[in-house]
């Protein structure tokens, strides 16, 4: 039962804590049942929704039902959501993200009580908008970091776990640093580490995240263990970009590492992309289809030493 003393969640109240624990346990039980049902379906159909549809298709959000009920009620009851967000469309919500001061789900007011942050309130509004695949992609690739991070949290809270790597994998090698949680120590981290924590931790600050099935978590762990080395290689290649990957007609012989740690030979097919964030180089893999090049992150490519050197 709900606390009979407080209308809003009070972390110092044992009744509020008991109710929050009950809600979290019930959500986990429902998610376990859903995961078991999905595994049974996979056995019959051969797989889950690993890729999205066209840019106009709505993004399926099977995990939205597990959004913590206590936080959901507090967001909906807030003045910021009821008076402003509920009337905003996608473009206006995206613009509102630029005024957020942190990525924390809760903030402490002048009276020391916690309240849902503007950031998590906007993410919740986006989750209830029925975004299209095109709109979600525009969040994930936006020039503004706050907008991109809202897209990352949107994916982790709402989208099916089979699509986590498809949607978040490219951001893991983003080396731009920032302070996501100034109210919790103000430690810097790269955008790639922020995304990695979304995939590896069970909580986002104090907000419980949808659970990931054992098989999916094993796959993520096996891939993510490679990314510390990928980030170091990215930084090293970025410093010698023009010398190591010139835009020559004949290309440069390289070796490319896959997300699963397997190396394959190839040759560059053009100049690297511009800027310093998520720089890629076009590579034609040996044995691949003629004329087909794929964009490979700088962190996943090396130039092997020439013979006799």
């Amino acid at each position: 039962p709900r606390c009979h003393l407080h209308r809003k969640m009070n972390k110092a109240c044992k009744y509020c804590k008991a109710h929050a624990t009950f809600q979290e346990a019930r959500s986990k039980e429902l998610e376990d049942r859903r995961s078991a049902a999905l595994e049974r379906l996979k056995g019959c159909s051969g797989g889950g929704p690993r890729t999205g549809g066209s840019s106009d298709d709505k993004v399926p959000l099977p995990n939205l039902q597990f959004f913590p009920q206590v936080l959901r009620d507090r967001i909906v009851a807030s003045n910021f959501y009821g008076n402003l967000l509920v009337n905003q469309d996608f473009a206006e919500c995206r613009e509102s993200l630029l005024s957020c001061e942190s990525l924390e789900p809760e903030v402490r007011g002048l009276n020391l009580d916690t309240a849902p942050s503007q950031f998590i309130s906007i993410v919740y509004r986006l989750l209830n908008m029925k975004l299209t695949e095109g709109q979600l992609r525009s969040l994930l690739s936006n020039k503004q970091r706050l907008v991109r991070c809202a897209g990352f949290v949107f994916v982790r809270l709402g989208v099916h776990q089979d699509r986590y790597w498809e949607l978040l994998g490219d951001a893991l090698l983003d080396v731009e640093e920032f302070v996501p949680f100034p109210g919790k120590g103000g430690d810097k981290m790269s955008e790639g580490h922020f995304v990695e924590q979304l995939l590896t931790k069970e909580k986002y600050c104090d907000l419980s995240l949808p659970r990931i099935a054992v098989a999916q978590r094993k796959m993520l762990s096996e891939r993510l263990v490679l990314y510390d080395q990928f980030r170091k290689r990215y930084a090293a290649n970025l410093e010698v970009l023009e010398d190591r990957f010139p835009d020559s007609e004949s290309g440069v012989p390289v070796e490319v590492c896959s997300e699963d740690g397997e190396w394959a030979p190839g040759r560059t097919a053009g100049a690297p992309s511009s800027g310093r964030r998520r720089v890629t180089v076009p590579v034609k893999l040996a044995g691949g289809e003629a004329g087909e090049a794929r964009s490979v992150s700088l962190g996943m490519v090396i130039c092997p030493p020439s013979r006799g050197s």
Side-chain angles (χ1 to χ4, degrees):
R2 287 181 176 274
C3 175
H4 61 285
L5 298 175
H6 304 100
R7 294 180 62 185
K8 295 183 178 180
M9 170 68 176
N10 186 326
K11 291 186 177 181
C13 173
K14 64 179 182 180
Y15 299 108
C16 289
K17 286 182 179 179
H19 180 65
T21 301
F22 168 76
Q23 292 282 6
E24 184 175 338
R26 186 172 65 174
S27 295
K28 286 184 177 181
E29 181 182 355
L30 289 172
E31 189 166 356
D32 286 340
R33 291 179 183 175
R34 170 184 157 278
S35 296
L38 283 172
E39 291 299 326
R40 289 194 296 271
L41 285 173
K42 286 180 184 180
C44 299
S45 61
R50 298 189 179 277
T51 58
S54 68
S55 61
D56 293 328
D57 289 341
K58 300 295 184 182
V59 179
L61 299 176
N63 283 334
L64 179 56
Q65 61 181 313
F66 304 113
F67 193 94
Q69 185 64 44
V70 174
L71 181 59
R72 184 198 306 259
D73 293 343
R74 294 170 65 205
I75 290 173
V76 174
S78 68
N79 291 331
F80 177 67
Y81 189 90
N83 297 335
L84 182 65
L85 280 183
V86 74
N87 298 314
Q88 289 190 345
D89 59 18
F90 172 72
E92 290 170 329
C93 282
R94 187 177 56 196
E95 193 69 24
S96 294
L97 283 165
L98 303 182
S99 63
C100 295
E101 297 180 353
S102 80
L103 307 186
E104 296 168 59
E106 290 186 318
V107 293
R108 196 171 294 277
L110 296 176
N111 58 357
L112 301 183
D113 288 339
T114 58
S117 67
Q118 291 189 18
F119 177 79
I120 199 65
S121 298
I122 296 171
V123 171
Y124 179 74
R125 171 66 178 136
L126 291 170
L127 284 165
N128 284 276
M129 266 189 194
K130 301 186 183 302
L131 299 188
T132 64
E133 291 285 342
Q135 288 173 326
L136 175 55
R137 299 281 182 176
S138 73
L139 292 179
L140 298 173
S141 61
N142 197 276
K143 293 181 178 180
Q144 299 293 332
R145 183 192 303 115
L146 284 166
V147 178
R148 294 195 301 273
C149 289
F152 302 150
V153 177
F154 176 101
V155 170
R156 186 65 176 88
L157 288 174
V159 176
H160 191 279
Q161 60 185 358
D162 280 355
R163 297 194 64 197
Y164 286 167
W165 194 265
E166 170 208 346
L167 295 170
L168 301 180
D170 288 345
L172 288 166
L173 282 172
D174 197 320
V175 296
E176 185 177 11
E177 291 190 335
F178 70 116
V179 180
F181 311 120
K184 293 184 177 294
D187 293 335
K188 276 189 175 183
M189 69 172 67
S190 69
E191 200 166 301
H193 275 112
F194 176 80
V195 174
E196 183 172 337
Q197 288 191 2
L198 284 176
L199 293 173
T200 56
K201 293 186 177 296
E202 295 184 355
K203 289 193 173 186
Y204 177 69
C205 294
D206 293 326
L207 171 61
S208 295
L209 295 170
R211 296 177 67 185
I212 299 176
V214 174
Q216 190 77 2
R217 185 172 292 280
K218 180 182 178 183
M219 181 273 289
L220 291 173
S221 298
E222 290 174 348
R223 290 181 175 180
L224 289 172
V225 74
L226 303 172
Y227 272 76
D228 278 341
Q229 186 62 43
F230 286 163
R231 294 186 186 104
K232 292 177 182 177
R233 187 179 298 118
Y234 182 98
N237 282 338
L238 193 61
E239 296 305 316
V240 292
L241 186 60
E242 294 182 0
D243 295 333
R244 189 165 293 177
F245 303 103
D247 184 11
S248 62
E249 292 184 2
S250 59
V252 177
V254 295
E255 290 186 8
V256 174
C257 186
S258 72
E259 57 198 14
D260 295 310
E262 299 176 351
W263 290 91
R267 185 172 288 272
T268 60
S273 59
S274 60
R276 297 183 66 84
R277 288 185 53 253
R278 303 192 195 181
V279 179
T280 60
V281 59
V283 175
K284 291 182 180 178
L285 296 178
E289 296 184 15
E292 183 178 354
R294 53 178 288 193
S295 295
V296 180
S297 170
L298 286 185
M300 304 171 77
V301 61
I302 61 172
C303 293
S306 58
R307 293 181 180 178
S309 62

